[in-house]
Amino acid sequence: MPKAEVGSTKWVGNQMKSRGLQRLRWWCEPCQKQCRDANGFKCHVQSEAHVRQMAVVGEDPRKYIANFSTDFQRDFVCLLRTAHGEKWISANKFYNEYIRDKEHVHMNATKWSSLTEFTKHLGREGICHVKEDEKDGLMIAWRDTSAAAVKRKEEIAELEAAEARSGAGEDKMLKKMAKRAQEEAEVKKAIEAKRAAATAAMAQKENTTPPTEGGSSTEDKKVDSPVDDMVGVKKDSEEPKAEPAPVKLSFGMKAKVPPPNKAGLGQMKSQSIFKRKKDDLEQKPGKKVKL
């Protein structure tokens, strides 16, 4: 059956049917043809075009495999450089990005049987940085080996070394300044201590000087101040006062005996009024006459 012409209705229909990724087992790399099912792939393998192409490949299979491997590696690294640069990414995740293009070179046509072997090959050749992560497995990152990149890295390393040297010089300078400040502080402390000792010696000498002959002693110079008077009054007021004798009350029926020098109630009745008045006059002292 002849192949549909480009732009025809049948060709457009075939393109619509072949959208998206198909099964890798139904892909023919020498013929660059993708079959949609097992029956189509079987028919393609039995076709004359496929037989002729396989006869050409069979003459020197290593050459074709090497060419396919080179193309696969070139496209893979180019996409890694343009899409992610020098950032780390999972190898499996990036391979899924690579095979989105239907026209890409498939790995089954190369000399690498698995993605792990291809990733290790990139690491051994120094094309990419490869490391193994516990979570994402193998991680890859593009390695820029161009002359400009190497020169830029050397300049960055020189700048970092210069900064480190300048930082070390600054540290030495700061240490010297701190040491000098400490020495100055110690000198100031010594000077202040000497001044304090001299001041104390002068004060002690003034206190130990003897008093002059004409001068009076400190005891004579004391004058009673109103404050001392108030203190004396306060001390007098604080002296304990004599407490009055307690009053004794008696509720008995026994009559009190009057003292002998005083008359009792019955005696006062027996005396006359005039006699009592006379006795009172005798007892009163006479008035003193001033001369």
Side-chain angles (χ1 to χ4, degrees):
M1 185 176 180
K3 191 174 183 180
E5 295 181 1
V6 178
S8 63
T9 306
K10 189 173 183 180
W11 180 85
V12 173
N14 292 335
Q15 293 295 323
M16 291 178 66
K17 290 178 182 178
S18 64
R19 280 183 179 179
L21 295 176
Q22 304 294 324
R23 298 293 294 272
L24 184 59
R25 67 174 67 181
W26 299 330
W27 168 262
C28 180
E29 190 67 36
C31 301
Q32 297 290 315
K33 182 175 178 59
Q34 175 70 55
C35 300
R36 289 192 292 272
D37 52 11
N39 187 29
F41 185 73
K42 181 180 178 181
C43 294
H44 169 71
V45 170
Q46 294 175 357
S47 64
E48 295 180 3
H50 178 75
V51 172
R52 285 196 304 269
Q53 187 66 27
M54 289 303 295
V56 173
V57 172
E59 293 177 359
D60 192 1
R62 294 183 179 178
K63 176 184 175 181
Y64 284 91
I65 292 174
N67 291 337
F68 288 140
S69 301
T70 304
D71 295 341
F72 177 79
Q73 179 178 328
R74 183 187 66 247
D75 296 342
F76 189 90
V77 174
C78 182
L79 182 62
L80 178 63
R81 180 186 62 193
T82 55
H84 300 283
E86 296 183 353
K87 297 179 181 179
W88 290 96
I89 186 172
S90 174
N92 191 20
K93 183 178 180 181
F94 179 72
Y95 182 73
N96 291 330
E97 294 179 5
Y98 171 74
I99 63 177
R100 288 176 186 174
D101 184 13
K102 290 181 63 176
E103 304 298 330
H104 72 277
V105 179
H106 291 72
M107 187 177 288
N108 60 353
T110 63
K111 60 183 178 181
W112 302 291
S113 59
S114 64
L115 180 62
T116 304
E117 291 183 4
F118 176 65
T119 305
K120 291 180 179 179
H121 165 74
L122 294 177
R124 285 193 301 267
E125 295 295 327
I127 300 171
C128 296
H129 298 287
V130 180
K131 69 176 182 179
E132 189 172 0
D133 188 58
E134 295 180 358
K135 183 178 179 181
D136 298 328
L138 288 175
M139 304 285 290
I140 57 174
W142 177 62
R143 183 178 181 181
D144 193 358
T145 56
S146 61
V150 173
K151 186 177 180 180
R152 185 172 63 253
K153 289 180 181 179
E154 290 178 356
E155 291 177 356
I156 292 171
E158 289 178 359
L159 288 174
E160 290 179 353
E163 288 179 359
R165 288 194 297 270
S166 63
E170 290 178 358
D171 293 341
K172 289 182 180 178
M173 190 180 296
L174 290 173
K175 288 180 180 179
K176 287 181 180 179
M177 292 174 66
K179 188 176 181 180
R180 189 182 304 167
Q182 187 176 1
E183 291 176 356
E184 291 178 358
E186 290 177 357
V187 171
K188 287 182 179 179
K189 285 182 180 180
I191 293 171
E192 290 178 358
K194 288 181 180 179
R195 288 179 180 175
T199 306
M202 291 291 292
Q204 187 176 2
K205 190 180 291 185
E206 290 177 359
N207 293 334
T208 55
T209 52
T212 57
E213 295 179 358
S216 60
S217 62
T218 55
E219 294 178 357
D220 298 338
K221 290 182 179 180
K222 287 185 179 179
V223 181
D224 294 337
S225 61
V227 178
D228 297 337
D229 297 340
M230 292 178 67
V231 172
V233 172
K234 189 174 181 181
K235 287 182 179 179
D236 296 340
S237 62
E238 289 179 356
E239 290 180 359
K241 295 180 180 180
E243 296 181 358
V247 179
K248 294 182 179 180
L249 300 177
S250 177
F251 297 95
M253 299 300 293
K254 188 177 180 180
K256 292 183 179 180
V257 180
N261 56 355
K262 286 187 179 182
L265 185 61
Q267 293 177 1
M268 289 182 67
K269 286 183 178 181
S270 61
Q271 292 179 358
S272 63
I273 298 171
F274 299 102
K275 191 175 181 180
R276 280 185 292 169
K277 190 173 182 182
K278 186 178 180 180
D279 294 337
D280 293 338
L281 291 173
E282 289 178 356
Q283 290 178 1
K284 289 182 179 180
K287 293 183 179 179
K288 293 181 180 180
V289 180
K290 293 182 180 181
L291 298 176

